[in-house]
Amino acid sequence: MIKVLMIEDDIELAEILTEYLEQFDIEVVNVENPYIGMSKLNIEDFDLVILDLTLPDIDGLEVCSEIRKKHHDIPIIISSARHDINDKVEALEKRGADDYLPKPYNPRELQARIKSLLRRKEPKIQKKEEIKKDLVLDERKREILYKGEPLKLTSAEFGILAYLMKKEGGVVSREELIYNVEAISEESTNKSIDVIIGRIRTKLGETSKNPRFIKAVRGIGYKFIQ
């Protein structure tokens, strides 16, 4: 069974999520106090953390930083009613969060994101790791290499392609791209995402009818394949 630590002071929401996730063999241990939550991480084994940002005594962004300092590999999902883009960017780029889910949301989406993050943590088969990849993301240099050469991408193109690559085959909705890619305005439309995807495909030498790296998922969005 998957064991999740939730740091959430909305007791009613915590009870709803706990009851729902139990159906998927996910045990949720919820604490209202962030300090108690951080202490629990030091004495118990958890597979993932769900963290609210608006907490008593200490801001959730600080809690995220503290968890990441001491527990380098544990996935952290921010679950927050704070929709400020600065909070989102800071949580994901500076504080070490792996995902940001704005409230209100369907518990089904939370369950899907938990499973997606944990799949990415699973050890890869050695043989698969040895296969040379044509497309490689270098986050430190903020560039994507195609057959060893850096692609010439705009900020929006880089952000979308990098996000898809980091999802490692997971299906990503257009709305998720608009929300999570810093270079994309939150006022952008699904059509504008499709246009940017088209430009990326051109630079990769592929088309929507013959995808090599970016596959469209009807009615949802896209996923990266390699």
Side-chain angles (χ1 to χ4, degrees):
M1 176 174 281
I2 296 168
K3 188 174 180 180
V4 171
L5 174 67
M6 181 185 295
I7 304 178
E8 170 64 69
D9 64 347
D10 184 335
I11 300 303
E12 183 177 355
L13 174 62
E15 290 177 351
I16 291 171
L17 294 177
T18 298
E19 183 176 343
Y20 181 83
L21 293 174
E22 281 179 354
Q23 304 173 64
F24 300 90
D25 292 324
I26 300 174
E27 176 189 356
V28 178
V29 176
N30 184 66
V31 294
E32 300 173 56
N33 186 293
Y35 291 105
I36 294 176
M38 288 187 282
S39 296
K40 274 189 170 293
L41 277 172
N42 293 327
I43 58 177
E44 296 184 43
D45 290 327
F46 292 94
D47 298 299
L48 181 141
V49 175
I50 300 170
L51 174 64
D52 186 18
L53 291 187
T54 306
L55 296 167
D57 302 323
I58 181 173
D59 187 79
L61 290 173
E62 291 295 329
V63 177
C64 188
S65 292
E66 289 301 312
I67 292 173
R68 182 55 70 224
K69 286 177 187 176
K70 297 179 180 179
H71 307 275
H72 301 293
D73 297 328
I74 193 166
I76 302 172
I77 297 177
I78 300 295
S79 162
S80 178
R82 282 160 50 175
H83 291 198
D84 189 318
I85 186 62
N86 293 320
D87 283 335
K88 301 170 189 174
V89 171
E90 184 169 352
L92 293 167
E93 291 193 351
K94 299 179 181 179
R95 304 288 184 156
D98 296 281
D99 204 348
Y100 196 115
L101 192 56
K103 297 175 183 176
Y105 53 80
N106 190 308
R108 181 70 179 84
E109 182 177 2
L110 176 61
Q111 182 270 336
R113 294 194 184 208
I114 290 171
K115 290 295 180 70
S116 177
L117 282 173
L118 293 179
R119 276 199 305 270
R120 288 160 56 188
K121 272 196 68 181
E122 292 175 358
K124 303 291 189 299
I125 299 174
Q126 184 65 30
K127 184 176 179 181
K128 185 177 179 181
E129 289 187 337
E130 291 173 354
I131 297 174
K132 186 176 181 181
K133 295 181 179 180
D134 287 336
L135 209 59
V136 177
L137 170 63
D138 188 332
E139 291 190 83
R140 185 177 61 83
K141 293 183 178 179
R142 284 190 62 80
E143 67 180 16
I144 295 173
L145 303 177
Y146 179 47
K147 295 184 178 179
E149 295 295 326
L151 285 170
K152 294 182 179 179
L153 302 169
T154 66
S155 296
E157 291 165 359
F158 172 83
I160 286 177
L161 184 53
Y163 191 85
L164 289 171
M165 291 176 71
K166 286 188 284 188
K167 288 295 182 178
E168 296 184 350
V171 178
V172 178
S173 69
R174 295 171 178 85
E175 292 80 7
E176 186 176 345
L177 289 170
I178 292 172
Y179 173 74
N180 285 287
V181 177
E182 182 180 358
I184 302 293
S185 168
E186 287 195 311
E187 283 70 47
S188 298
T189 63
N190 287 349
K191 181 64 177 176
S192 65
I193 295 297
D194 293 338
V195 170
I196 297 171
I197 290 287
R199 296 204 305 260
I200 296 171
R201 279 177 162 157
T202 298
K203 294 179 180 181
L204 292 173
E206 67 173 48
T207 65
S208 59
K209 293 182 179 180
N210 187 26
R212 168 67 180 84
F213 298 104
I214 302 174
K215 182 178 180 180
V217 180
R218 185 182 294 274
I220 302 177
Y222 299 93
K223 70 176 181 178
F224 177 76
I225 54 176
Q226 182 163 236

